[in-house]
Amino acid sequence: MQGYFITFEGPDGAGKTTVINEVVKAIQGQCKREILVTREPGGSKIAEKIRDIILDPANTEMNAKTEALLYAASRSQHVSEIINPALKRGDLVISDRFVDSSLAYQGQGRGLGIEEVAQINAFATGNLEPDLTIFLDLDPAQGLARIAKARSGSEDRLEQEKLAFHEEVYRGYQKVNQAHPDRVKVVDASQDLPQVVATSVKLVKSIFPELF
Ligand code: Z5A
């Protein structure tokens, strides 16, 4: 029995973690499959260790290629150890970020090239692609303001990047979204949280009616 793989993407502070938690609360009990929620970077013991290295604000000398390869390495472990086995069991897997984050942040934001970063990730994941990606669409400045409000002074290495970097990342996401219109569905994340959650739940139910 093959499972279902849904990813949430978006700029920092778009609300991915909050929305995923609320979506799961809303569909749990109705969904016919086990639901596995996971996140990137991280999601498994080794992948979480790599996450700590990547996000450590002290690692200012990390170059862009090292960063991209560490994300891909962490993802490879996450896919082989957590995501693929869950999909094989038939679960609904929901991941907070996946390959599109690398395409937008490292491919576009760091200037490594979306195609180049896609290639290392195809190797890392064995070409695994989500069945559905919900892109929480928010102006990067608004997202950074939400984060600053929520945890002022404890931003990680990437959150500390200047607004110009996050605007570049946003442009990367727009390119990825345009290249995959069937997979990526865009939700306006500037709306109130209950509206964002309701729209996301509606999308999941309409795209995978057999799950309910
Ligand atoms: N990264 C990368 O570069 N390449 C990759 O391949 C991957 C990741 C996988 C991960 O850090 C960093 O790694 C991230 C991208 C990069 N970095 N940066 N910069 P993370 O996992 O710690 O961070 P994140 O994924 O970006 O999550 P986040 O910044 O915490 O944002 P979020 O999950 O989208 O938002 P949230 O925590 O759910 O909500 C933020 C605040 O907004 C919170 O106070 C909420 O209560 C509030 N919120 C949420 N929704 C709403 C609405 N609708 N209205 C008002 N307020 C809201």
Side-chain angles (χ1 to χ4, degrees):
M1 183 166 56
Q2 183 57 29
Y4 295 77
F5 185 27
I6 300 176
T7 58
F8 279 72
E9 294 282 354
D12 287 44
K16 296 172 294 299
T17 311
T18 311
V19 172
I20 288 172
N21 288 339
E22 293 302 315
V23 166
V24 170
K25 273 190 218 162
I27 64 174
Q28 235 166 14
Q30 304 170 19
C31 183
K32 290 179 186 159
R33 303 289 181 95
E34 290 291 318
I35 303 173
L36 178 97
V37 177
T38 187
R39 71 162 183 183
E40 292 205 343
S44 77
K45 193 178 70 180
I46 293 170
E48 290 286 337
K49 284 187 179 174
I50 300 173
R51 174 192 172 95
D52 291 342
I53 298 170
I54 302 172
L55 298 182
D56 185 346
N59 286 338
T60 50
E61 69 273 38
M62 189 182 294
N63 74 50
K65 284 185 179 171
T66 300
E67 184 180 282
L69 289 164
L70 285 174
Y71 276 115
S74 137
R75 180 165 297 126
S76 175
Q77 189 65 32
H78 185 211
V79 166
S80 68
E81 196 183 334
I82 306 292
I83 298 178
N84 277 344
L87 292 175
K88 224 172 160 186
R89 289 195 300 269
D91 293 0
L92 167 60
V93 177
I94 302 179
S95 185
D96 190 339
R97 297 191 179 278
F98 193 60
V99 172
D100 291 353
S101 286
S102 283
L103 305 184
Y105 283 79
Q106 283 67 53
Q108 181 80 19
R110 298 292 193 212
L112 292 178
I114 289 179
E115 191 43 49
E116 286 76 359
V117 175
Q119 280 173 19
I120 60 168
N121 277 280
F123 174 71
T125 65
N127 293 308
L128 178 67
E129 282 210 20
D131 300 303
L132 166 67
T133 296
I134 295 182
F135 178 74
L136 298 184
D137 193 8
L138 188 70
D139 177 64
Q142 261 182 283
L144 292 182
R146 281 183 187 173
I147 287 181
K149 197 172 156 200
R151 47 173 188 266
S152 171
S154 61
E155 287 96 345
D156 64 41
R157 194 172 57 82
L158 275 93
E159 286 167 352
Q160 288 173 354
E161 291 286 343
K162 301 258 179 305
L163 178 60
F165 171 75
H166 291 281
E167 284 172 342
E168 200 56 38
V169 168
Y170 185 76
R171 275 191 279 281
Y173 268 128
Q174 285 174 316
K175 288 183 187 174
V176 173
N177 295 350
Q178 280 161 17
H180 301 279
D182 292 340
R183 169 171 66 81
V184 182
K185 304 298 169 200
V186 178
V187 172
D188 177 3
S190 69
Q191 304 175 96
D192 289 346
L193 181 61
Q195 282 175 286
V196 180
V197 173
T199 310
S200 303
V201 169
K202 210 169 153 191
L203 270 173
V204 174
K205 288 187 169 176
S206 65
I207 292 171
F208 306 116
E210 70 279 16
L211 271 175
F212 298 93

